[in-house]
Every structure is written in structure tokens, then in C-alpha cells.
Amino acid sequence: MKKIIMTMAAAVVALTMNAQGMYVGGSMGFSTTSYDGSTQRTSISFVPEFGVSFNDHIGVGMEIGYSTDKDESNKDVKTVTSNSFRFAPYFRFTAFQLGKVGVFADGKFSYVTSKDKTEYTQVGKTNVEQTVNSIGLYVQPGIAYSLNNKFSLVAKFGNIMGYTSSKPDVEGAKATTRFQFMNLSNNIQFGFYYNF
């Protein structure tokens, strides 16, 4: 274990020494849906991010995120709550820069673990809790706009292509797989970077 940690630390130091620039930042999200004044669904996400640029085109980074989702659309029967943690290292290629605007694509691997809880209000129904683990591979496009030398605004758009596999952490469970192509409207993220 010590060798693995030391190797990873040495790799991080080597990458940092060859870096042209570094950035930290991330995105936050909040949404709520209501019907006739009664809240039906609430979602919150927080996704810190950091990365290293080696030149004007190549970089690597990491997203570490937490999200929570509470669905009470059928609260007379059940309430479903999901809390998720994910990390997603990526390789970034910036295709071109037009003045302050840069267009990029991230080749991303993600791992997500979610704890889902279904609480029933019906008599005789047993509440259910389960953990679901997912892995994914994506190509995600994005745009960065430099406000000045230190701050940038960033938008990421779904994915050009993607693959996910999810499986509940119970014996005998089957995996659910999903392929996507040009799914740009799904999961649009807005955030900012502070550039060192």
C-alpha cells in the first residue's frame, strides 16, 4: 500500500513540475419542482474540481462531487431520497481558443456510489435502503470564458458519447448498462475556475 501511495505522490509531483498552469473551482446546482404550492422534488449538487494544464491544448483534472435528491411527488405512498458521491478524473483537450473563449472536450472516467432510501407511508410496507455503484466513460464537451488572468467561467454539456454501468450492491443483482450518443442537453453544468 505504501508503494502505491508513494508512486501516486511521485506522479502528482512530476505532473505539477511540468505544468504550465493549475486551476481550482467547480459548480453548484439547485432545483426544486412544486405542484400547487407543494414541493414535489428537490435536488442539490456540489462539484469541486481541480486540474493542471501542460500547454494550450492538453491538461488533466479531477471532479469530486456530492448530490442529494428527494422525490416527494407521491408522498401519500412513498418518499425517495438519494445521496450520491462521485469522483471523475479526466483528460482535457482544448481544440481551439478564440480570444477569451476556449472550446474543449474531456475524456472522463467516473465512479459514483449512491445510497437510495424509499420510505413508505402505507401500512404494511417496509422501507427499503440500497447502495448502487456505477462506473462510466464519457466524452464531454465544454466552453471556457476567461474573465481575466485569474477567473474563468465554464459550461459543460452532457456528453458526445458515453457508457454507464450501474449495479445495486446486493447479492444476485443485475447490472444496468446505458449507451449515449450526442446527448448534449442532459446534465448541463455551469461553474468557474480560479487560475494559478
Side-chain angles (χ1 to χ4, degrees), residues 154-172:
V154 180
K156 299 179 184 179
F157 306 94
N159 59 73
I160 297 171
M161 62 180 66
Y163 163 83
T164 58
S165 178
S166 304
K167 186 177 178 181
D169 193 13
V170 293
E171 188 175 346

Side-chain angles (χ1 to χ4, degrees), residues 40 56-57 66 69 73 83 99 115 121 134 149 151 167 184:
Q40 302 291 308
D56 291 340
H57 296 285
Y66 170 79
D69 184 272
S73 56
N83 295 295
K115 188 168 185 179
T121 55
S134 304
N149 290 336
F151 291 97
K167 186 177 178 181
L184 302 179

Side-chain angles (χ1 to χ4, degrees), residues 29-45 68-73 75:
F30 173 79
S31 69
T32 183
T33 304
S34 62
Y35 176 74
D36 196 24
S38 176
T39 298
Q40 302 291 308
R41 186 166 188 169
T42 304
S43 300
I44 300 170
S45 64
T68 182
D69 184 272
K70 188 171 185 179
D71 186 349
E72 301 175 282
S73 56
K75 65 172 70 177

